[in-house]
Amino acid sequence: MCGIAGLILRDGHPDPAILARAAGWLGHRGPDESGVEIMGAVGLAHTRLSIIDLAGGHQPIRDPRGDYAVVANGEIYNFVELMAQARDHDWHFSSRSDSETIVYAYARHGVEGLARLNGMFAFALYDVRRRSLVLGRDRLGIKPLYFATLPDRLVFASEIKALLPLLPRTPGLSAAALARTLEVGFNSGRDTLFDGVRRLDPGTVLIVGPDLSLKLVPYWSPLAVVPRESLSLTDAQDAFAELFDQVLGEHMRADVPYGLFLSGGLDSASLLWRLSERSSGPLHTFSVGYGQGGGKDELADAARVARHFGSVHTQLRLDLRDALNALPFSVWAADDLVYDPACLPTALLARRAARHLKIVFTGEGGDEVFAGYGRYRNTGIQRLAAWLRAPHRASYRWRSRWPETMRRACFGPELELARASRHEPMAFAWCRAPREWGYVRRAQLADMQTELRDDLLVKLDRMLMGFGLEGRVPFLDHRLVELGLSLPDRVKIRRGVGKVLIREWARAALPPEHTRVKKRGFGVPFEALLRGELLTRIEQRLEANPMLRAWLRPGGVAAVARLQREAGRGTGLLMQLMQLAAWYRIFLDGPRRRPGIDDDLLDWL
């Protein structure tokens, strides 16, 4: 697990000092070592978190003849099998690093070779003979990769904060991306908050020629999944059990200890079951909940499962003010704004786990892949009613986080104009599904290609990597995703209950009550804190923030504060405004610097 950055110039040679500055902004992703290398018009920067081959694996990694060089972020889980295949073809490796198999796969098979990689990854590979730069990203978008093109260069980085030093000036802001972030809660699609800074699509390679010509080549798509409508629940369980154990065995490969983030849910409990059976000693598990505030958490459910499987369990009880003070750090870590209150407890839990470990497993993706969300169980009447309310909406999720009266009171003219495209990524994902796919399968696809990729996985990667902690997500192995999408609805949903396949598979192993537990999100009850003097001080800081003054109407902040003060219903909107204010202070207001996770929130507004 690492951070990567670099550029290719049309003419001349990159400045090593600029690349070193970019690497400096990725130190949290790779605290074990870093380096910069110039190869003609290409410059590569890398920071490393050592997970496999701790003594070797220094990057850039080259092939034996020196025709290719790669810097990579992530894990290639089937590197053992790939190395065995390579040796059969007289390919010699210089290390045991899993990243070296990327060079082999591309050198021997070209872009098609990437389909042989099982894992989460983003990489930059320099093809010396062709003088071209190849950027690639894993199938589900678990690992991030951003890029930007100018007339004289293309730049790339794992995070936007490391990409900006590679540009001659800070780009302007995208009104469309900002409007989408506010109304949807996250910014989805290729564009980011910075004009011209884009995400590389998952399952895609970008080939950059020496003349800066661009060629996008997809190597995987969930749209190729063929539904298996005749599959029975028993046959589906058998297929899942065999595949899951194979996937988990690959994911457990590491030269450092690992643990598990244990919620009260079915997915992480199932992971604990299978990991415990395959591990030589007790697993370290971590859960987070509230110290006060009246919110419901899953600490008791998690503790019950931890006792059942004998894990070494750590509970973190949040102080709400500490969680709120983590907001600027979470904004810095995420780069692109994400309104997901779970970022805050996730960051605090990552800090705790990183004291002991470099890897944690999580159950991320189980709900999307095996249909765990309640929205997948909407009846035909509910779907018809939603269509009648908004027949022009192509997608099944279209509501704004902002009530219309509040939006009109707050959004400035440019935001109001830009909001027309706010739901385009979701609508695009919904409409591109094959015609024969039903509602549930379409909904799974739309969530995987929007909220999962651009919200939940951003939260997971950035909050954990902010403390040099790698998150592994077995449920998002592409082979399990293909299985989940192929299953008939009756294997995933039965009598109003979702994720039937996982429940039936795990029933005999988990505590009896745990397979009946309902899906619960992780909210943070900040409404108990955001009142009185603290609310007044926050309102005063927000009123003076240049970002908010530029994009909101006069009186917009006061309207949100009044809604919170009088009815306690402005918490989410207020949190979004605090995020936006902190984002401005971190990324646009003078020298960029990293907030401490224990800093006073008010200092960053």
Side-chain angles (χ1 to χ4, degrees):
M1 191 61 62
C2 308
I4 64 174
L7 73 164
I8 179 170
L9 298 175
R10 185 184 297 274
D11 298 299
H13 302 283
D15 182 351
I18 293 176
L19 284 161
R21 195 177 310 145
W25 283 106
L26 294 172
H28 53 287
R29 297 188 71 91
D32 294 328
E33 63 177 279
S34 65
V36 168
E37 187 151 347
I38 308 297
M39 293 170 287
V42 170
L44 301 176
H46 181 260
T47 64
R48 186 183 183 204
L49 178 67
S50 302
I51 299 292
I52 292 174
D53 190 9
L54 305 187
H58 308 291
Q59 299 192 24
I61 296 174
R62 289 181 169 81
D63 68 298
R65 298 199 312 180
D67 291 336
Y68 307 96
V70 71
V71 289
N73 165 35
E75 301 291 346
I76 309 301
Y77 295 122
N78 63 330
F79 74 98
V80 175
E81 292 78 8
L82 290 172
M83 284 184 168
Q85 295 171 19
R87 292 188 185 102
D88 289 342
H89 293 99
D90 295 324
W91 185 278
H92 300 286
F93 290 95
S94 62
S95 72
R96 285 183 50 253
S97 170
D98 59 294
S99 296
E100 193 167 354
T101 59
I102 298 172
V103 179
Y104 162 72
Y106 184 83
R108 182 164 178 82
H109 304 286
V111 171
E112 292 77 13
L114 301 182
R116 298 168 182 259
L117 306 177
N118 300 338
M120 53 179 185
F121 53 83
F123 68 83
L125 182 147
Y126 182 46
D127 187 328
V128 176
R129 291 187 175 186
R130 295 181 176 87
R131 294 190 298 125
S132 60
L133 182 68
V134 182
L135 304 179
R137 193 176 179 199
D138 68 63
R139 298 167 178 86
L140 276 299
I142 302 169
K143 294 291 106 183
L145 190 59
Y146 297 90
F147 71 97
T149 57
L150 277 72
D152 69 329
R153 74 189 69 184
L154 178 140
V155 305
F156 67 89
S158 296
E159 297 182 6
I160 296 175
K161 63 179 69 69
L163 184 144
L164 295 179
L166 302 173
L167 297 172
R169 63 188 62 85
T170 301
L173 300 187
S174 166
L178 181 56
R180 184 176 298 125
T181 299
L182 289 171
E183 293 207 65
V184 178
F186 57 94
N187 177 38
S188 195
R190 292 177 177 171
D191 296 332
T192 69
L193 289 170
F194 287 104
D195 277 326
V197 177
R198 304 176 67 189
R199 302 178 180 91
L200 182 62
D201 288 339
T204 302
V205 165
L206 174 63
I207 302 174
V208 188
D211 60 350
L212 302 188
S213 59
L214 304 180
K215 182 180 180 182
L216 282 167
V217 184
Y219 67 89
W220 182 85
S221 172
L223 301 177
V225 170
V226 177
R228 301 162 66 183
E229 297 297 347
S230 63
L231 202 66
S232 69
L233 177 58
T234 299
D235 289 342
Q237 278 184 251
D238 291 342
F240 171 80
E242 181 180 359
L243 180 57
F244 188 78
D245 276 356
Q246 178 186 346
V247 166
L248 194 60
E250 293 178 5
H251 278 63
M252 292 172 69
R253 290 171 174 166
D255 294 338
V256 295
Y258 51 79
L260 170 71
F261 278 0
L262 184 63
S263 70
L266 181 63
D267 300 323
S268 63
S270 299
L271 274 174
L272 179 55
W273 162 39
R274 301 310 297 149
L275 285 169
S276 296
E277 287 204 343
R278 301 176 68 120
S279 299
S280 58
L283 201 68
H284 286 264
T285 54
F286 302 84
S287 298
V288 63
Y290 312 110
Q292 83 281 1
K296 295 181 179 180
D297 59 36
E298 299 176 313
L299 284 177
D301 293 333
R304 180 177 63 245
V305 177
R307 288 193 300 271
H308 186 79
F309 291 108
S311 68
V312 179
H313 190 54
T314 298
Q315 288 187 338
L316 178 62
R317 292 187 177 275
L318 296 177
D319 176 88
L320 286 182
R321 185 59 191 266
D322 289 344
L324 189 64
N325 283 338
L327 184 144
F329 172 86
S330 74
V331 169
W332 172 86
D335 277 339
D336 245 350
L337 286 170
V338 173
Y339 177 67
D340 187 337
C343 284
L344 307 179
T346 300
L348 291 163
L349 192 61
R351 178 175 64 170
R352 173 64 66 86
R355 296 175 186 172
H356 312 285
L357 302 169
K358 283 189 173 183
I359 301 171
V360 291
F361 284 81
T362 83
E364 212 73 64
D367 287 301
E368 291 81 3
V369 176
F370 295 102
Y373 292 126
R375 55 182 174 267
Y376 298 154
R377 304 192 292 275
N378 286 345
T379 64
I381 292 175
Q382 289 173 316
R383 299 174 206 166
L384 176 61
W387 183 84
L388 290 173
R389 286 196 300 270
H392 60 293
R393 306 289 184 185
S395 170
Y396 83 116
R397 299 178 68 193
W398 54 267
R399 291 183 179 177
S400 171
R401 295 190 55 79
W402 286 71
E404 186 172 359
T405 54
M406 291 301 298
R407 193 201 76 240
R408 291 184 179 278
C410 294
F411 282 23
E414 195 171 358
L415 273 182
E416 196 61 31
L417 185 65
R419 64 186 298 268
S421 64
R422 64 197 180 280
H423 295 297
E424 281 183 358
M426 180 67 78
F428 176 73
W430 179 264
C431 292
R432 69 194 298 246
R435 183 172 298 179
E436 66 271 18
W437 283 21
Y439 171 84
V440 174
R441 201 172 275 121
R442 280 178 178 267
Q444 288 177 272
L445 176 75
D447 281 343
M448 287 179 196
Q449 298 196 325
T450 55
E451 185 178 39
L452 175 66
R453 182 181 73 192
D454 299 322
D455 176 353
L456 302 180
L457 289 176
V458 171
K459 172 191 69 180
L460 180 74
D461 176 81
R462 306 306 200 285
M463 299 307 119
L464 271 60
M465 290 307 297
F467 296 99
L469 186 65
E470 175 182 297
R472 294 193 174 183
V473 284
F475 284 106
L476 288 177
D477 184 279
H478 72 280
R479 294 163 291 181
L480 287 173
V481 171
E482 291 168 353
L483 175 64
L485 284 175
S486 75
L487 297 175
D489 292 356
R490 67 179 181 278
V491 169
K492 293 179 282 196
I493 298 172
R494 185 173 60 190
R495 293 193 289 272
V497 176
K499 223 154 38 178
V500 171
L501 172 62
I502 307 299
R503 293 180 193 279
E504 292 302 314
W505 166 69
R507 184 179 299 278
L510 300 186
E513 62 272 32
H514 210 79
T515 55
R516 297 190 297 270
V517 68
K518 293 183 178 180
K519 174 68 181 176
R520 293 201 297 257
F522 194 104
V524 184
F526 283 127
E527 60 274 5
L529 185 66
L530 295 173
R531 56 190 181 189
E533 182 183 355
L534 178 59
L535 176 58
T536 299
R537 295 177 67 192
I538 289 173
E539 179 183 4
Q540 291 170 347
R541 296 295 179 96
L542 296 181
E543 288 277 16
N545 185 276
M547 183 83 170
L548 301 191
R549 292 171 69 90
W551 290 92
L552 301 186
R553 294 183 182 277
V557 170
V560 172
R562 185 164 54 250
L563 182 67
Q564 176 67 10
R565 186 174 287 113
E566 296 176 356
R569 292 186 290 110
T571 303
L573 306 185
L574 189 66
M575 292 287 291
Q576 284 193 292
L577 296 187
M578 288 191 287
Q579 281 190 316
L580 191 55
W583 189 86
Y584 168 80
R585 294 294 184 198
I586 293 165
F587 288 99
L588 298 178
D589 186 20
R592 300 182 187 96
R593 56 192 180 96
R594 170 179 175 159
I597 198 168
D598 295 318
D599 286 0
D600 190 329
L601 165 71
L602 295 170
D603 293 340
W604 290 93
L605 301 184

